[in-house]
Amino acid sequence: MNRISPSVLSADYGHLAEALELLTASGADMVHIDVMDGHFVPNITIGAPVVRCLRKSTALPFDVHLMIDEPLRYVADFAQAGADRITFHTEAESGVGETIDAILAAGKEAGLAVKPGTDITEVYPYLDRLSMVLVMTVEPGFGGQSFRADMLPKIRALREECVRRGFPELDIQVDGGISAQTIGEAAAAGANVFVSGSALFSSKDMAAEIRRFKTLATAAQM
Ligand code: DX5
Ligand code: ZN
């Protein structure tokens, strides 16, 4: 099932509650929250205390993308703050298996992300415990970058591997440069959860743009 996860990285951080109300009213499927520590990526955003405050503003699932060096250290904080799905990077310092275990033990869904330079086979040993794999289509750290079409073969290979292993429905998320111009190629390659920051938040009609994204994704998969 195709789902749209707008990234509030492109919202006005002074008015995040309003942004969540807009997303709720516009038919977003979840809310993508980018957590950056200034070490794993050269940018700093928000932590669990802010996520906890945002939890009051929407019932939409929180799709928390940890771009931090030590995800294992913060899993409990984000789980308690109201994250529903916690995604961390294979390139981080925490052990991958151990971090997945901690997320599942906290009663949350686990996602595993790869940067553009990382081989997709890195996630294969963990597929049976994951709800989602995030294939980054830009270098993580900033919104507004261009979609990297050279990541499409990774998405295709991952979808094929999921089918081979008996998890044909595993969520494959793409994050970075997703717009009406690029969502179709990502969907055709096998992605079904689409993060979008700048394209959605710069649109005049969020609800119409979310509907358009879904229509384009579904059409590309036929
Ligand atoms: C980038 C973040 C993305 C970002 C995407 O490191 O992980 O979630 O918000 O922004 P756009 O859609 O503008 O590329
Ligand atoms: Zn993200």
Side-chain angles (χ1 to χ4, degrees), residues 16-44:
L16 282 173
E18 287 97 315
L20 295 188
E21 285 158 20
L22 173 65
L23 295 181
T24 312
S26 301
D29 296 293
M30 49 181 114
V31 180
H32 187 80
I33 301 177
D34 288 302
V35 175
M36 309 186 189
D37 66 355
H39 290 273
F40 185 76
V41 288
N43 195 8
I44 301 175

Side-chain angles (χ1 to χ4, degrees), residues 40 66 68-73 75 86-105 109-115 118-130 132-133:
F40 185 76
L66 299 179
I68 63 178
D69 271 344
E70 293 185 84
L72 181 57
R73 192 168 161 192
V75 163
I86 300 177
T87 299
F88 67 100
H89 276 260
T90 57
E91 305 89 355
E93 289 166 13
S94 307
V96 172
E98 208 183 334
T99 306
I100 294 172
D101 287 344
I103 296 169
L104 298 180
E109 294 179 328
L112 186 56
V114 286
K115 291 199 216 178
T118 301
D119 207 288
I120 194 62
T121 58
E122 296 280 323
V123 308
Y124 290 178
Y126 309 100
L127 289 179
D128 59 336
R129 289 188 286 157
L130 296 171
M132 183 169 81
V133 174

Side-chain angles (χ1 to χ4, degrees), residues 4 7 11 32 49 52 58 75 83 100 113 122 130 132 140 142 145 152 201-202 210 222:
I4 307 295
S7 167
H32 187 80
R52 180 186 304 277
T58 182
V75 163
I100 294 172
E122 296 280 323
L130 296 171
M132 183 169 81
F142 299 93
Q145 304 180 72
L152 293 170
F201 277 93
S202 67
I210 289 175
M222 288 183 176

Side-chain angles (χ1 to χ4, degrees), residues 32 34 65 67 175:
H32 187 80
D34 288 302
H65 177 193
M67 286 161 275
D175 182 8

Side-chain angles (χ1 to χ4, degrees), residues 5 32 63 87 132-135 171-175 193 195:
S5 188
H32 187 80
D63 163 33
T87 299
M132 183 169 81
V133 174
L134 164 53
V135 179
D171 282 340
I172 300 181
Q173 184 175 59
V174 279
D175 182 8
V193 182
V195 176

Side-chain angles (χ1 to χ4, degrees), residues 160-218:
E160 281 166 18
E161 184 69 13
C162 291
V163 171
R164 229 187 330 266
R165 300 269 192 105
F167 321 112
E169 306 287 329
L170 186 91
D171 282 340
I172 300 181
Q173 184 175 59
V174 279
D175 182 8
I178 295 296
S179 67
Q181 283 68 46
T182 57
I183 193 168
E185 11 178 8
N192 70 305
V193 182
F194 306 93
V195 176
S196 178
S198 49
L200 283 181
F201 277 93
S202 67
S203 72
K204 294 211 170 50
D205 184 340
M206 174 76 76
E209 198 63 358
I210 289 175
R211 278 196 303 275
R212 183 157 81 114
F213 275 28
K214 283 194 181 175
T215 304
L216 288 166
T218 305

